[in-house]
């Protein structure tokens, strides 16, 4: 067994306006940090439209596709922009997650990391927002459930922002437990503990600004991990944003690189106990290039240790 790394050079063709935090250099930094690691490297395929339709209505696909017809930049909201290469990048980002699920459930690898952009966890059913066009991790969950016949999939989203898109796409699906820890108050302003899904299948864990490592570890040990254990998932998906890092310019949770290694190890512990170690993780946020690279490498190295 091994750990797969799925990525594609098309993900570098999603070019955002100068000064935008979700920039091409993020993926370059992550890939440099993973250079030389003994990973099963896989070119991310393009998602099929049928994949996107597992989670989004056709009207949303049409909106994004039509935006892509414009030359130059087009803005879908104040911070979500598309360049000519954005549509291809978004399809690779979703395709990576779908392919990673196939590889992990097919027993080709124990776990996988998708080094892709744009991120996906803010994209709602019919709204591209927060740098995100399509809900990649939500599509991957639907793929595992509808096509592989799994009965229960858990998603853990440790990006510093609430995964409002993933929640919107999956809160009415009792086969999914969606857990998001995030700084509150912060963009996008949702993710209160009382938002718990149609079947109690959403768990929001807001954390105070500056609360740091101890509060995070306590919340995960006392709230998140017991909930995941009770749910008994057959696969664990991870929205791996690294913007809770102390160096990140967009938030103030003050996590360390060691915290990302810790949380990854504990997620792998759960996966070992519950679902034969099966974990598929995808890159979400993380905007300080050095902290992002260091944290993503720490995350992947733990996946590799546990996937060996
Ligand atoms: Zn984020």
């Amino acid at each position: 067994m091994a750990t797969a790394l799925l990525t594609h050079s098309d993900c570098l063709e999603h070019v955002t306006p100068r000064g935008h935090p979700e920039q091409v250099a993020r993926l370059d930094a992550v890939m440099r940090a993973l250079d030389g690691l003994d990973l099963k490297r896989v070119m991310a395929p393009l998602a099929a439209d049928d994949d996107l339709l597992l989670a989004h209505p056709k009207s949303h696909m049409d909106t994004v596709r039509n935006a892509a017809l414009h030359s130059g930049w087009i803005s879908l909201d104040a911070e979500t922009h598309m360049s000519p290469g954005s549509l291809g990048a978004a399809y690779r980002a979703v395709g990576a997650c779908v392919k990673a699920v196939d590889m992990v459930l097919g027993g080709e690898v124990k776990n996988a990391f998708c080094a892709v952009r744009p991120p996906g966890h803010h994209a709602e059913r019919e709204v591209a927002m927060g740098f995100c066009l399509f809900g990649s991790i939500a599509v991957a969950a639907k793929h595992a459930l509808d096509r592989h016949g799994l009965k229960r999939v858990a998603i853990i989203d440790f990006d510093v922002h609430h995964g409002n898109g993933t929640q919107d796409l999956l809160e009415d699906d009792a086969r999914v437990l969606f857990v998001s820890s995030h700084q509150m108050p912060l963009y996008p302003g949702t993710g209160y503990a009382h938002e718990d899904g149609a079947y109690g299948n959403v768990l929001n864990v807001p954390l105070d600004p500056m609360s740091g490592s101890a509060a995070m570890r306590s919340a995960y040990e006392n709230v998140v991990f017991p909930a995941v254990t009770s749910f008994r998932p057959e696969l664990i998906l991870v929205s791996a944003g690294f913007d809770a890092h102390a160096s990140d310019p967009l938030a103030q949770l003050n996590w360390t690189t060691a915290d990302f290694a810790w949380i990854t190890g504990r997620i792998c512990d759960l996966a070992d106990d519950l679902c034969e170690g099966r974990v598929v993780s995808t890159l979400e946020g993380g905007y300080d290039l050095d902290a992002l690279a260091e944290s993503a490498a720490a995350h992947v190295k733990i996946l590799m240790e546990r996937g060996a």
Side-chain angles (χ1 to χ4, degrees):
M1 297 292 262
T3 295
L5 172 64
L6 295 95
T7 188
H8 197 284
S9 57
D10 282 359
C11 294
L12 302 169
E13 301 299 320
H14 168 53
V15 180
T16 49
R18 192 177 180 83
H20 194 285
E22 205 294 281
Q23 54 182 312
V24 172
R26 296 179 61 239
L27 185 54
D28 278 330
V30 168
M31 291 307 294
R32 266 200 307 278
L34 304 181
D35 199 24
L37 297 182
D38 184 21
L39 292 152
K40 186 174 173 64
R41 289 164 192 267
V42 177
M43 201 177 281
L46 290 167
D49 286 345
D50 283 348
D51 296 333
L52 294 169
L53 288 168
L54 292 169
H56 292 283
K58 184 167 181 306
S59 54
H60 178 65
M61 285 168 46
D62 291 343
T63 299
V64 176
R65 274 183 177 285
N66 290 337
L69 297 175
H70 293 258
S71 57
W73 275 302
I74 182 157
S75 299
L76 301 177
D77 73 7
E79 65 273 333
T80 311
H81 313 281
M82 289 181 71
S83 70
S86 297
L87 189 67
Y91 270 71
R92 295 285 178 194
V94 178
C97 293
V98 169
K99 172 75 175 172
V101 166
D102 289 340
M103 293 180 73
V104 168
L105 293 182
E108 267 184 82
V109 292
K110 185 78 150 299
N111 54 40
F113 180 66
C114 302
V116 290
R117 54 184 289 282
H121 74 149
H122 292 306
E124 299 188 342
R125 274 167 222 249
E126 301 198 62
V127 185
M129 61 180 278
F131 318 159
C132 302
L133 302 178
F134 299 124
S136 307
I137 206 77
V139 170
K142 291 284 195 184
H143 174 70
L145 294 161
D146 293 350
R147 296 194 178 131
H148 286 276
L150 297 195
K151 294 185 175 64
R152 291 175 308 280
V153 172
I155 302 175
I156 298 174
D157 182 333
F158 61 71
D159 187 280
V160 80
H161 301 96
H162 176 229
N164 62 295
T166 310
Q167 178 172 307
D168 183 55
L169 293 163
L170 299 173
E171 65 190 346
D172 60 352
D173 191 332
R175 302 170 299 171
V176 177
L177 174 67
F178 173 59
V179 184
S180 177
S181 66
H182 41 268
Q183 178 177 320
M184 181 171 276
L186 191 66
Y187 181 91
T190 49
Y192 290 90
H194 65 76
E195 299 168 30
D196 62 357
Y199 304 96
N201 59 312
V202 171
L203 175 60
N204 280 306
V205 183
L207 297 166
D208 292 333
M210 314 300 283
S211 55
S213 304
M216 178 278 274
R217 294 188 187 208
S218 163
Y220 271 85
E221 288 293 11
N222 296 315
V223 179
V224 175
F225 296 143
V228 175
T229 301
S230 314
F231 186 70
R232 294 183 298 117
E234 298 163 286
L235 171 68
I236 298 178
L237 304 179
V238 180
S239 267
F242 299 98
D243 40 8
H245 195 285
S247 299
D248 199 276
L250 299 195
Q252 299 81 33
L253 270 194
N254 284 352
W255 296 7
T256 63
T257 302
D259 288 327
F260 292 107
W262 176 83
I263 201 169
T264 308
R266 293 292 290 117
I267 289 170
C268 289
D269 289 343
L270 281 187
D272 283 343
D273 289 347
L274 299 167
C275 52
E276 297 162 46
R278 302 193 290 208
V279 175
V280 170
S281 172
T282 191
L283 179 63
E284 299 282 2
Y287 303 100
D288 177 87
L289 295 180
D290 292 337
L292 167 64
E294 186 180 279
S295 303
H299 176 64
V300 171
K301 284 175 184 169
I302 299 289
L303 290 177
M304 288 175 67
E305 279 175 31
R306 304 299 291 266

